[in-house]
């Protein structure tokens, strides 16, 4: 029998990739978002997770076998992040409870589990890298922990299995997404090429020289499906990255080369993209009109603040994938391929020239 998946946040980077993979694998997919995108094979479900009654109504009659929670809502403070994002998880799980159909819930969080939330990102005593899943939670409030606790409590009450997935920075396509390094770098490189500005690494010496890893949205989707369908992976938390490591001193030149520009020399000083791109809205709008691009609003493509947070970190950040490997997950994707495939998709869809 065909299994049914509910993908929460189906219009985002992780959610859209997950919905695509599930449909390819023969699942019936319900794609929940505030404003669902038109995605082949996905049944759109429009719901505002801040409204429990409306979410309950939108999911009335749904009988998902698995729930993939891939969204969050950024708030002004971590206390509000905790209140709002925990409530969103609770709202979805309450809405699907009456059907008694859910066998597995997969929650996507991230490396802020180890690094701390935005208010205290990378501060205090952090775990040793590479990060491993058995490292204890930080002694600080974190909305990821609150989301996990909602899933754990519902699983104990309702009897489903769960998995938690902690990607590093995700590479994938989603217009209007708040955390989107790949498209941000594509827009930045396009602007540098168009204006003749130097394509300059915006981050720290530690990130330029240190080893790092990232997560393709396709790799994350594979991992979510694997954990949902592998009994040995039930009730476990996992890191999930592409499987390679690199230095930005190597990757930056390759990204520049894809766009046909030179990478500017890095002098060790931090020059955030928020500063470099702060006046680029009108420049992008004019470029979009001239090149016939479909999205003239740079703010819907680029999230400089998030890219700055990652590239400006003062410490080397890597994750360990040994837990997944031991349980049989062997998928791999070179990170430069993930970037280049994204750039090609953005060009094909006229999001960049």
């Amino acid at each position: 029998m065909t299994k049914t998946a509910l993908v929460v946040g189906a219009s985002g980077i992780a959610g859209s990739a997950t919905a695509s993979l599930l449909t390819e694998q023969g699942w019936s997919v319900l794609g929940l978002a505030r404003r669902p995108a038109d995605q082949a094979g996905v049944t759109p479900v429009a719901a505002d997770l801040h409204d429990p009654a409306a979410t309950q109504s939108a999911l009335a009659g749904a009988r998902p076998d698995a729930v993939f929670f891939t969204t969050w809502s950024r708030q002004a403070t971590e206390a509000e992040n905790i209140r709002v994002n925990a409530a969103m998880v609770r709202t979805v799980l309450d809405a699907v409870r009456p059907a008694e159909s859910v066998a597995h819930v997969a929650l996507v969080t991230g490396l802020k589990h180890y690094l701390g939330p935005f208010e205290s990102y990378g501060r205090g005593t952090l775990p040793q890298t590479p990060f491993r899943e058995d490292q204890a939670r930080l002694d600080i409030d974190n909305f990821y922990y609150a989301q996990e606790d909602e899933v754990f409590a519902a699983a104990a009450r309702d009897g489903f299995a769960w998995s938690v997935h902690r990607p590093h920075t995700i590479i994938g396509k989603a217009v209007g997404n708040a955390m989107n390094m790949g498209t941000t770098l594509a827009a930045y490189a396009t602007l540098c090429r168009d204006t003749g500005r130097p394509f300059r690494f915006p981050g720290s010496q530690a990130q330029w020289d240190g080893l790092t890893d990232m997560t393709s949205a396709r790799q994350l989707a594979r991992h979510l499906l694997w954990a949902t369908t592998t009994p040995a992976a039930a009730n476990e938390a996992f890191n999930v990255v592409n499987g390679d490591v690199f230095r930005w001193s190597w990757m930056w030149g390759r990204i520049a080369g894809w766009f046909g520009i030179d990478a500017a020399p890095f002098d060790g000083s931090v020059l955030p993209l928020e500063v470099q791109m702060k006046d680029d809205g009108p420049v992008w709008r004019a470029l979009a009109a001239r090149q016939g691009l479909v999205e003239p609003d740079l703010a819907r493509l680029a999230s400089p603040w998030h890219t700055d947070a990652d590239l400006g970190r003062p410490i080397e950040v890597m994750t360990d994938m040994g837990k997944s490997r031991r349980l049989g997950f062997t998928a791999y994707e070179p990170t430069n391929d993930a970037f280049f495939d994204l750039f090609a998709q953005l060009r094909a869809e006229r999001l960049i020239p």
Side-chain angles (χ1 to χ4, degrees), residues 3 55 64 68 71-73 75 82 92 99 124 126 164 182 213 232 245 317 321 324 332:
K3 289 187 175 182
T55 303
F68 299 87
T71 191
W72 72 294
S73 178
Q75 304 298 310
I82 290 168
V92 170
L126 300 176
V164 175
D213 48 26
V245 295
V317 176
M321 278 281 285
S324 294
Y332 166 85

Side-chain angles (χ1 to χ4, degrees), residues 7-12 14-15 32-34 49 68-74 85 88-89 92 106-109 143-144 147 177 179:
V7 179
V8 183
S11 61
L32 188 152
R34 184 177 295 182
L49 300 187
F68 299 87
F69 202 96
T70 69
T71 191
W72 72 294
S73 178
R74 189 185 184 199
N85 287 282
M88 288 166 57
V89 174
V92 170
L107 172 68
V108 176
T109 61
F143 81 88
Y144 282 170
Q147 288 182 307
N177 192 273
M179 300 194 301

Side-chain angles (χ1 to χ4, degrees), residues 103-105 160-164 226-238 323 327:
H104 192 100
V105 172
F160 57 75
W162 55 266
S163 55
V164 175
W226 166 79
T228 300
T229 57
T230 301
N235 305 327
E236 297 285 350
F238 297 101
K323 186 176 183 180
L327 293 176

Side-chain angles (χ1 to χ4, degrees), residues 139-151:
D139 186 19
I140 191 169
D141 292 338
N142 190 321
F143 81 88
Y144 282 170
Y145 305 161
Q147 288 182 307
E148 286 184 346
D149 290 343
E150 290 291 341
V151 171

